[in-house]
Amino acid sequence: FGECGFVDNHTVEVVDKDGKKTQYTAEKILIATGGKPVFPPGEGIEEHCISSDGFFSMEDLPKVAVVVGAGYIAVELAGVLNSLGSEVHLVVRKGKALREFDPMISDGLDAEMIKAGVLIHRHTNGVVKVELDASTKKKNVTLHSGDVIYGADIVLMAAGREPNTTEWVANTESLHLETTGVKVSPKKHVVVDEYQNTNVDNIYALGDVCGEVELTPMAIAAGRRLADRLFSGKEEDKVAKVSYEYVPTVVFSHPTIGTCGITEPKAIELYGKDAVKVYTSKFSNLHYGIFAVEPDQKPKTLMKVICAGLDEKVVGIHVLGMGSDEMMQGFGVAMKMGCTKADLDSSCAIHPTASEELVTMGVWGTSPQVSGAKVSPLGGATPGEPRLS
């Protein structure tokens, strides 16, 4: 196989590494070509920087690393390099990383990164140029703010995988979609409906190439639903589609972040301040109990449960700290099922764990005693029996 492009609505042509062309025809064609790292414009940026792809080709640990970006990849790789002993400079365009996350979480991560020794350059508006010092083979990074970072061994551009210039396209350059009439957005993402249909009857698209919830498990879930709808033959699968709401996700930062649902500002925007109730907690994980460190220096776990409406339906759970990645999967299931604060309170805590805090938060039992479950667990009710016939 090799580079692929459309010939017509039912035919693609693949050019292999030797230039040999082979055409394939199919009744249905799925576009799932993903995205790619972005290099913003600027003198020497593409020439002297690496992307997240290049990170995995590194053979030596850099003494000084500059990471440019404010998203998942930037904070993850900055944390990895810092933990391994590099001097890490994190360059963000505005005030902090992960600005779209709940403020409690993004502020908490910011504080932990500073405590860990990451040097954060704020309000830079990005990089102007990257120059190579011929005598030292080091790189000097000039920021739009006027600051210059000298002596970097690597400059890692993690400005995201979403389009940020009119020239960037989401791996659709060679697809020749113009031969099919498939619509793309102004940012060159393939336009689809909720069932992953393009505007061409037999052509479908999913994943990062569509620009919605750009996570690998999300693309896998969308692919499974699409396969069920097109090929299972079951009546119930004729309307199968993936849900893009309440998607649990994790940032493997240092410390880890787990989140599901909307942020507190978004909840207030959607439902009004009076309809939103927020529960929070801050503590040091018991893992650090035996560490000979002052309590205020121990890494903190931050938790927030956001509820909305008369029934206190849980619309957001956000965690920063050890174990947040593992605990969020289960709470994501609960949120998908429509859990309320009372449902969380009805669950017996597992002690000693960090996750027990999410089912004991606030003044226990004071939320409205309303369940979002099909079979309510409230008031000590027994769980429903499995349906056998």
Side-chain angles (χ1 to χ4, degrees):
F1 295 102
E3 190 173 275
C4 179
F6 280 90
V7 176
D8 58 42
N9 291 8
H10 290 276
T11 308
V12 296
E13 182 174 82
V14 178
V15 182
D16 68 17
K17 62 181 180 179
D18 297 320
K20 181 183 177 182
K21 298 179 180 180
T22 307
Q23 292 191 353
Y24 300 87
T25 60
E27 179 185 351
K28 304 178 190 299
I29 297 177
L30 171 65
I31 302 170
T33 51
K36 63 180 181 182
V38 174
F39 282 99
E43 180 185 337
I45 289 179
E46 286 202 51
E47 181 182 358
H48 299 307
C49 299
I50 64 171
S51 69
S52 53
D53 293 341
F55 174 85
F56 294 102
S57 299
M58 290 168 49
E59 296 183 357
D60 300 303
L61 180 69
K63 290 182 179 180
V64 179
V66 175
V67 179
V68 182
Y72 284 61
I73 294 173
V75 298
E76 289 177 346
L77 298 186
V80 169
L81 290 168
N82 180 71
S83 296
L84 290 173
S86 297
E87 176 187 305
V88 176
H89 298 255
L90 178 63
V91 176
V92 297
R93 286 193 308 113
K94 297 185 179 179
K96 60 181 177 179
L98 302 182
R99 296 187 306 276
E100 299 302 314
F101 280 61
D102 190 89
M104 179 179 176
I105 299 302
S106 56
D107 289 343
L109 177 63
D110 193 85
E112 292 295 335
M113 286 195 297
I114 292 171
K115 188 187 298 183
V118 176
L119 304 169
I120 303 176
H121 300 259
R122 309 176 193 275
H123 301 291
T124 67
N125 205 26
V127 175
V128 176
K129 62 181 178 179
V130 178
E131 298 173 294
L132 179 66
D133 187 321
S135 62
T136 64
K137 304 301 182 184
K138 305 283 187 177
K139 301 172 182 72
N140 300 326
V141 183
T142 302
L143 311 178
H144 280 285
S145 60
D147 292 344
V148 181
I149 304 170
Y150 295 97
D153 295 295
I154 65 157
V155 182
L156 195 158
M157 278 290 164
R161 301 180 72 89
E162 294 182 356
N164 70 343
T165 72
T166 55
E167 290 79 21
W168 185 86
V169 290
N171 280 9
T172 56
E173 301 103 320
S174 62
L175 288 178
H176 300 299
L177 293 177
E178 70 278 0
T179 65
T180 66
V182 169
K183 289 183 180 179
V184 294
S185 72
K187 294 182 176 180
K188 305 301 181 184
H189 287 116
V190 178
V191 176
V192 294
D193 64 13
E194 60 187 332
Y195 294 96
Q196 313 304 145
N197 300 313
T198 70
N199 60 301
V200 178
D201 286 344
N202 69 297
I203 299 178
Y204 312 89
L206 57 82
D208 289 10
V209 78
C210 300
E212 176 137 12
V213 188
E214 297 185 10
L215 299 168
T216 299
M218 192 77 254
I220 293 170
R224 285 174 170 168
R225 304 304 183 279
L226 179 62
D228 287 344
R229 183 166 67 84
L230 296 180
F231 303 115
S232 81
K234 296 178 181 178
E235 188 66 28
E236 63 266 27
D237 286 338
K238 289 182 178 180
V239 292
K241 62 179 182 177
V242 74
S243 167
Y244 288 97
E245 295 79 33
Y246 295 143
V247 176
T249 185
V250 168
V251 183
F252 291 101
S253 50
H254 291 64
T256 309
I257 293 170
T259 180
C260 185
I262 59 178
T263 65
E264 182 179 349
K266 188 64 176 179
I268 292 172
E269 175 190 330
L270 290 175
Y271 308 116
K273 189 171 184 178
D274 291 343
V276 174
K277 187 166 184 179
V278 176
Y279 300 84
T280 63
S281 182
K282 179 179 180 179
F283 57 94
S284 295
N285 193 294
L286 282 177
H287 173 83
Y288 301 106
I290 61 172
F291 284 43
V293 179
E294 291 298 316
D296 62 342
Q297 292 301 308
K298 293 180 181 179
K300 297 297 184 290
T301 293
L302 307 179
M303 292 183 172
K304 177 181 283 190
V305 176
I306 303 164
C307 304
L310 299 177
D311 298 337
E312 290 197 22
K313 174 180 167 60
V314 178
V315 296
I317 296 179
H318 308 277
V319 182
L320 169 73
M322 179 178 288
S324 60
D325 47 349
E326 294 294 344
M327 70 179 77
M328 194 50 58
Q329 188 71 79
F331 285 101
V333 173
M335 288 185 64
K336 271 291 197 190
M337 296 175 71
C339 73
T340 63
K341 180 62 167 65
D343 288 323
L344 295 183
D345 291 347
S346 74
S347 179
C348 185
I350 303 171
H351 182 76
T353 65
S355 58
E356 69 178 303
E357 194 75 9
L358 289 171
V359 299
T360 57
M361 200 176 288
V363 180
W364 184 87
T366 58
S367 63
Q369 294 300 289
V370 179
S371 174
K374 184 176 180 180
V375 177
S376 172
L378 305 186
T382 57
E385 294 296 322
R387 191 162 62 94
L388 302 178
S389 61

